[in-house]
Amino acid sequence: MNIGMMTTWCHHCGVFGYTEQLVDALKDSGHLVTTFGNYPYGRRTGDVADLECFGTGFHEQDDRGLNSFKIFDAVMGSKINVFHIQYQDYLYPDKENFNNLLNRLNGSNVHIVVTQHDSCISPNIDWGKFNIIIRHGPEFKKEGKNVI
């Protein structure tokens, strides 16, 4: 399977550690994985996403928004089957372009998966665009269509 993984990819946080292990396991299982990460402000040596395409807003130097056109073009060009977003609300302050990306992906043959890493779920995200929602944490209730 050809998987795109959008996540923080250089900050020292639980989401990065979780996703790094997930990506390694998927690759070890024979899947092709392309990482879509944040711009490189504050990264450790060797922490490099395959495509840097959004700013997290953690620092003034990193306040660029999410480039939905760049991401969508890369997903289509790479023939990605599943696009998996590691979601924690503060990682994606640019909700307008986040939703633009969801709309573009939803109109394609790409399955959209999200892992929600905290209970701070923005009402400004169109959650109905996801094929599967994974809730990672004890504070979540597992309710709703396609919720794991």
Side-chain angles (χ1 to χ4, degrees), residues 87-90 95 117-123 127 139-140:
Y87 182 86
Q88 196 157 23
D89 193 61
Y90 71 87
K95 304 300 189 246
H117 288 277
D118 65 16
S119 59
C120 183
I121 305 303
S122 174
W127 297 105
E139 70 275 15
F140 287 115

Side-chain angles (χ1 to χ4, degrees), residues 59-145:
H59 307 281
E60 287 181 20
Q61 298 92 331
D62 193 17
D63 64 356
R64 294 166 281 186
L66 185 143
N67 190 330
S68 60
F69 292 101
K70 182 177 182 179
I71 297 168
F72 181 76
D73 289 348
V75 168
M76 295 296 102
S78 298
K79 296 182 176 33
I80 287 173
N81 311 103
V82 175
F83 193 73
H84 190 155
I85 299 170
Q86 301 297 325
Y87 182 86
Q88 196 157 23
D89 193 61
Y90 71 87
L91 293 176
Y92 308 106
D94 186 355
K95 304 300 189 246
E96 181 179 348
N97 277 314
F98 190 94
N99 281 319
N100 286 342
L101 174 62
L102 292 180
N103 287 332
R104 285 186 178 90
L105 290 170
N106 195 257
S108 69
N109 289 326
V110 176
H111 293 281
I112 313 168
V113 177
V114 64
T115 297
Q116 297 171 334
H117 288 277
D118 65 16
S119 59
C120 183
I121 305 303
S122 174
N124 299 321
I125 300 296
D126 188 351
W127 297 105
K129 300 286 185 187
F130 291 97
N131 299 101
I132 297 174
I133 297 174
I134 301 167
R135 294 188 169 163
H136 183 244
E139 70 275 15
F140 287 115
K141 292 180 182 176
K142 310 280 196 254
E143 54 189 39
K145 179 183 155 197

